[in-house]
Amino acid sequence: MNIVVICLAILGAFIVLAIVAVSVTGRRQPSQRIYRHATILFVAARRRGPDTRFVAEGALWTSRTLFPLIGTEDAYWTDFAILPPDPSAGSRLSTQSGLSDLYVAQVELTPVPALALGVLRLRHRLGLTRRPTGPVPTAVDHIDGRRELLPTSQSIARAQAHVPRTPVTMVNFLEYYARARGDTKDGRDAYLRYGREAFKAVHAVGGQFLFAGRITAVLVQPQHPDWQRDWDDLAAMIYPDPTAIFAMEQIPAYRRALDECDDGLKRTCVIATRAY
């Protein structure tokens, strides 16, 4: 009987330690600073030149553009930032003389439990999920899907040209179909079904979630006509290096989910950035 009690005590202690490890890991994820708020301001800025500055006081996160990955040959924006909710932020940012264009959107964050982030991060750290080791493709012609939602050969080459083992944040602008193709649900629902598998695949290749949410208001509309679109959602994921995103296609569940992406997503722009 004593042996049973001891075994149960050891098992209980192990479970408690596991829960604590998951909880601590989840709370240390980069998203948690942002997720102190239910709503944030997302800022895209274009500096006038390399010698000008973009100042985002009180920013929760800032990054600088590296290269466009999907949906555009010209990233256009030079800097991105996430700010706490502040109705006056748009007008303050608009007064910066070093900027030639600006986009400020209010975003309602999609809830993501810290425990889920902790589980996914620990699974990767313990080797339970691993990044596939296949070579980085030079093109994505082998993937069945709409070409405009996939990286081009040029953008893959840009990713390979960047310094390896340098973390990058992929910023996603998302516009959905009003009704998903071949589905009775709307485009967002179809894309979110894909998003659940993408979320797991990002962590499987060593990446981390930063934020995702629905645009509820545009506080500053950009001047450039190509960016005056009614984007629906914004999201960002951190990858351990610029080519890690291409390893995801080798994960079977993610590969199968690409059909849901095609069905729900009308248009996207994905821009690779580096946090600073």
Side-chain angles (χ1 to χ4, degrees):
M1 188 68 174
N2 290 336
I3 294 177
V4 173
V5 171
I6 292 171
C7 290
L8 289 174
I10 292 173
L11 178 60
F14 177 80
I15 291 172
V16 169
L17 286 174
I19 293 173
V20 170
V22 167
S23 178
V24 170
T25 301
R27 290 199 302 268
R28 289 180 175 175
Q29 295 306 291
S31 61
Q32 294 310 289
R33 187 181 181 193
I34 296 169
Y35 272 74
R36 293 172 186 169
H37 307 273
T39 301
I40 51 93
L41 297 183
F42 175 85
V43 181
R46 180 178 174 86
R47 285 179 278 114
R48 293 188 183 278
D51 297 328
T52 57
R53 295 182 60 209
F54 165 58
V55 179
E57 294 181 2
L60 305 172
W61 171 83
T62 53
S63 70
R64 185 162 295 170
T65 293
L66 294 174
F67 56 88
L69 185 73
I70 298 174
T72 179
E73 286 299 310
D74 177 14
Y76 186 68
W77 305 111
T78 59
D79 298 82
F80 298 94
I82 293 174
L83 303 176
D86 180 356
S88 64
S91 58
R92 290 202 316 272
L93 290 167
S94 298
T95 63
Q96 292 191 32
S97 60
L99 302 182
S100 62
D101 207 352
L102 185 69
Y103 171 71
V104 182
Q106 179 176 284
V107 179
E108 180 184 337
L109 293 174
T110 300
V112 178
L115 281 176
L117 296 173
V119 168
L120 291 171
R121 187 63 174 166
L122 277 179
R123 278 169 55 84
H124 181 74
R125 285 182 171 177
L126 294 173
L128 300 177
T129 58
R130 297 186 180 183
R131 174 176 173 172
T133 57
V136 176
T138 57
V140 290
D141 297 337
H142 58 290
I143 296 179
D144 295 329
R146 289 159 48 207
R147 299 295 99 184
E148 66 270 25
L149 303 183
L150 296 171
T152 64
S153 299
Q154 292 79 9
S155 59
I156 293 175
R158 292 189 196 107
Q160 291 175 313
H162 275 270
V163 180
R165 295 183 294 278
T166 301
V168 298
T169 302
M170 298 294 180
V171 177
N172 297 254
F173 293 79
L174 304 165
E175 181 184 358
Y176 306 119
Y177 287 113
R179 187 170 296 280
R181 302 192 310 171
D183 201 327
T184 57
K185 296 185 177 181
D186 64 22
R188 177 182 274 108
D189 287 340
Y191 183 82
L192 290 180
R193 292 198 294 269
Y194 154 80
R196 285 190 287 270
E197 293 301 329
F199 182 76
K200 291 184 284 188
V202 168
H203 287 84
V205 300
Q208 295 169 278
F209 171 79
L210 186 64
F211 86 97
R214 183 193 301 253
I215 297 172
T216 56
V218 176
L219 305 185
V220 179
Q221 189 71 261
Q223 299 175 22
H224 196 292
D226 289 349
W227 288 91
Q228 293 175 354
R229 298 185 66 93
D230 293 328
W231 298 106
D232 295 305
D233 285 5
L234 291 161
M237 298 285 186
I238 304 168
Y239 293 86
D241 63 71
T243 61
I245 191 170
F246 305 120
M248 290 167 54
E249 70 173 67
Q250 299 177 50
I251 299 173
Y254 174 78
R255 185 76 172 266
R256 291 192 296 269
L258 287 172
D259 286 342
E260 303 279 11
C261 178
D262 275 8
D263 290 344
L265 196 57
K266 182 177 181 180
R267 182 174 182 254
T268 186
C269 284
V270 181
I271 299 173
T273 73
R274 179 177 297 167
Y276 63 87

